[in-house]
Amino acid sequence: MQPFHFYFTLLGSKLQKMRYPLFSLLLFAVLHAAAQGQSYRILFLGNSYTTVNNLPQMVANVAASTGDTLLYDSNAPGGHRLKDHAGNTTSLNKIIAGNWDYVVLQDQSQFPSFPDSQVQADVYPYASFLDSLVNAYSTCAETVFYNTWGRKNGDADNCNSWPVVCTYQGMDSMLALRYGVMAADNNALLSPVNEVWKYLRNNYPGLELYDADGSHPSLAGTYAAACCFYTVLFRKDPTGISYISSLSATDAGNIRAAAKAVVFDSLAKWHVGEYDPKPAFAYTITTTKEITLINNSNAATSYLWQFGDGDTSTLPAPMHTYTDYGTYEITLTATRCGRQNTASQSITLTNPATGMNEGYDLHKFRLFPNPASTTLFLELNTIQKADYAILNSHGALIKKGIANAARNTIDISELTVGNYLLRVSADGIVTHKAFTRQK
């Protein structure tokens, strides 16, 4: 395998993934820097559109200015296509080394805009091959397709044989179409640099995005690409970037605003978050107080169940027995590769002897105000006496007491800001209401 050559702009990384003694020398500095923000490892496989103005370093500089860290490596020989990378020993060894969070794939600037028969034969298969290799050696990696732009005045070299590329608009639309297909077919992300460029061309025509050849990016063009990549990779608003290279503050600000409008405000359009864990579940009541959970989640490798009574489980599909009848909020947190999402639903267990799930008018108790800052009021209505408990979002007991009047005052001034459950029980029957502690 070829050695890695990483470039650090902040000393921060996921050291637990690294296998080289060199990095142990940087342990304390790296841990300190990593605490300031997110840290990702990324591999760029492209060509001169990647190397001109050093796009990977520009993305790293942009990330560093927000407190984030990008460790990168690249292989980008001039004119290289995806087909070339698929047979390039250096590119293949870098993919096979693994432990990437992202791998960026970019074809030659013209080829994806060619007639469909050529793209079907010489682009799509190699995009799929490289993406499959990434998935095989970096199970948590996401492939990112680098959607490049149409040439400033179209592709004069191929205009006669393929007229659609004679103009910037025609060439750009073909590139967008083909990169969109590659991203969708391979469940990959899309870095829509071409769309950011289009926005800037339309709204700031005096901003020169092209080098003198009308093809490669100027410094402003690379900065626009870097802001686009930062937004896709870190899922953050690019207007928070402070690094501007040697651009004017006005030009840099306009570029960041364009990246926000095009990318950050429409992350789902570029498949960002589309492949995150998606928790979903159903349940069956096996006895009056026992349930079996049915896990219907997608793209998850670990789970945390919170049953609403303070108990939890990390089994994929657990069974759970409650001690009391009542209504409970079940929450499932699904996780994969550091990303997680939650889903919740309520379940009601009814006492077969009484046909009631909460007894008397317990389910009608009032809790107000909500949200609350320092004090909650609990009204029991017709119930004369009840126990209450406050649970945090993980189901842990925070506070408990006895309510024995029509209106009870509960001090919540010592609770941290966040979401909680108030559990009220009377005669062995339990119900819950959610509330929020605000400043």
Side-chain angles (χ1 to χ4, degrees):
M1 290 186 185
Q2 299 293 325
F4 293 98
H5 302 286
F6 294 111
Y7 300 84
F8 290 86
T9 56
L10 280 181
L11 291 176
S13 65
K14 300 175 180 177
L15 282 191
Q16 68 275 17
K17 291 184 176 181
M18 298 181 179
R19 298 169 292 181
Y20 296 92
L22 166 64
F23 293 102
S24 63
L25 300 176
L26 303 172
L27 175 60
F28 295 106
V30 169
L31 290 178
H32 174 75
Q36 306 306 307
Q38 300 175 38
S39 177
Y40 293 128
R41 291 163 52 92
I42 184 169
L43 172 64
F44 287 84
L45 298 180
N47 46 58
S48 58
Y49 276 26
T50 297
T51 56
V52 168
N53 302 313
N54 199 344
L55 174 61
Q57 184 64 56
M58 182 82 79
V59 182
N61 291 343
V62 160
S65 76
T66 68
D68 296 310
T69 304
L70 192 73
L71 266 69
Y72 72 83
D73 196 9
S74 65
N75 190 40
H80 244 48
R81 297 160 47 188
L82 294 178
K83 183 176 183 179
D84 298 322
H85 283 293
N88 184 301
T89 301
T90 299
S91 297
L92 296 178
N93 282 342
K94 288 178 184 295
I95 294 175
I96 291 170
N99 278 340
W100 301 110
D101 295 302
Y102 297 103
V103 176
V104 175
L105 300 180
Q106 177 219 336
D107 208 309
Q108 190 268 348
S109 61
Q110 299 160 286
F111 216 90
S113 68
F114 286 178
D116 195 58
S117 58
Q118 289 181 261
V119 178
Q120 290 280 358
D122 289 331
V123 177
Y124 293 157
Y126 300 99
S128 296
F129 168 75
L130 292 168
D131 173 71
S132 298
L133 200 64
V134 170
N135 294 333
Y137 288 95
S138 297
T139 57
C140 288
E142 292 190 272
T143 297
V144 185
F145 284 96
Y146 177 3
N147 195 153
T148 57
W149 49 87
R151 293 188 173 181
K152 188 173 184 177
N153 299 304
D155 184 358
D157 294 338
N158 295 286
C159 178
N160 290 336
S161 60
W162 183 232
V164 71
V165 299
C166 289
T167 64
Y168 157 77
Q169 291 84 358
M171 182 181 183
D172 194 70
S173 65
M174 293 306 297
L175 290 169
L177 173 65
R178 270 55 183 281
Y179 275 107
V181 169
M182 284 186 271
D185 285 354
N186 295 286
N187 293 334
L189 306 183
L190 189 64
S191 184
V193 178
N194 71 309
E195 297 295 335
V196 177
W197 275 45
K198 184 191 299 182
Y199 182 99
L200 291 168
R201 281 180 57 126
N202 290 337
N203 292 278
Y204 303 99
L207 179 64
E208 183 54 75
L209 300 171
Y210 295 87
D211 200 358
D213 63 3
S215 172
H216 288 87
S218 66
L219 184 66
T222 298
Y223 186 76
C227 290
C228 181
F229 269 104
Y230 171 80
T231 307
V232 169
L233 302 179
F234 290 90
R235 306 184 182 187
K236 292 183 178 180
D237 185 342
T239 59
I241 294 167
S242 60
Y243 175 79
I244 66 171
S245 186
S246 58
L247 299 173
S248 71
T250 298
D251 286 346
N254 290 337
I255 291 170
R256 293 193 300 268
K260 180 183 184 302
V262 172
V263 188
F264 184 73
D265 291 347
S266 302
L267 286 175
K269 182 176 181 180
W270 318 117
H271 308 290
V272 177
E274 184 174 331
Y275 315 112
D276 288 358
K278 295 177 175 58
F281 66 94
Y283 63 86
T284 59
I285 301 175
T286 52
T287 69
T288 57
K289 291 184 181 179
E290 183 182 78
I291 63 170
T292 298
L293 281 304
I294 302 164
N295 194 336
N296 298 318
S297 303
N298 289 320
T301 55
S302 63
Y303 309 93
L304 172 63
W305 298 88
Q306 298 163 265
F307 300 108
D309 61 353
D311 287 346
T312 62
S313 174
T314 56
L315 294 174
M319 298 177 63
H320 183 67
T321 302
Y322 291 92
T323 58
D324 297 306
Y325 299 107
T327 299
Y328 300 90
E329 185 82 2
I330 301 174
T331 299
L332 170 61
T333 301
T335 303
R336 177 183 178 274
C337 297
R339 301 199 186 276
Q340 62 182 32
N341 283 305
T342 61
S344 299
Q345 57 179 302
S346 295
I347 183 172
T348 297
L349 303 176
T350 301
N351 187 339
T354 64
M356 301 176 68
N357 58 15
E358 296 175 337
Y360 311 115
D361 289 327
L362 184 57
H363 63 294
K364 295 182 179 179
F365 79 80
R366 292 185 62 217
L367 185 67
F368 62 94
N370 190 7
S373 297
T374 59
T375 303
L376 280 173
F377 295 102
L378 169 62
E379 286 187 353
L380 294 178
N381 295 328
T382 60
I383 304 302
Q384 298 302 309
K385 183 178 180 181
D387 296 318
Y388 71 83
I390 295 177
L391 310 176
N392 66 15
S393 60
H394 300 291
L397 177 65
I398 302 299
K399 183 175 184 176
K400 63 181 179 179
I402 298 175
N404 53 17
R407 176 177 290 189
N408 299 267
T409 301
I410 303 175
D411 181 10
I412 61 168
S413 60
E414 295 183 357
L415 272 59
T416 58
V417 172
N419 298 316
Y420 296 84
L421 282 177
L422 182 74
R423 180 176 68 196
V424 178
S425 58
D427 295 335
I429 300 169
V430 181
T431 191
H432 300 76
K433 284 188 186 295
F435 71 91
T436 299
R437 161 74 161 93
Q438 65 180 10
K439 291 183 180 180

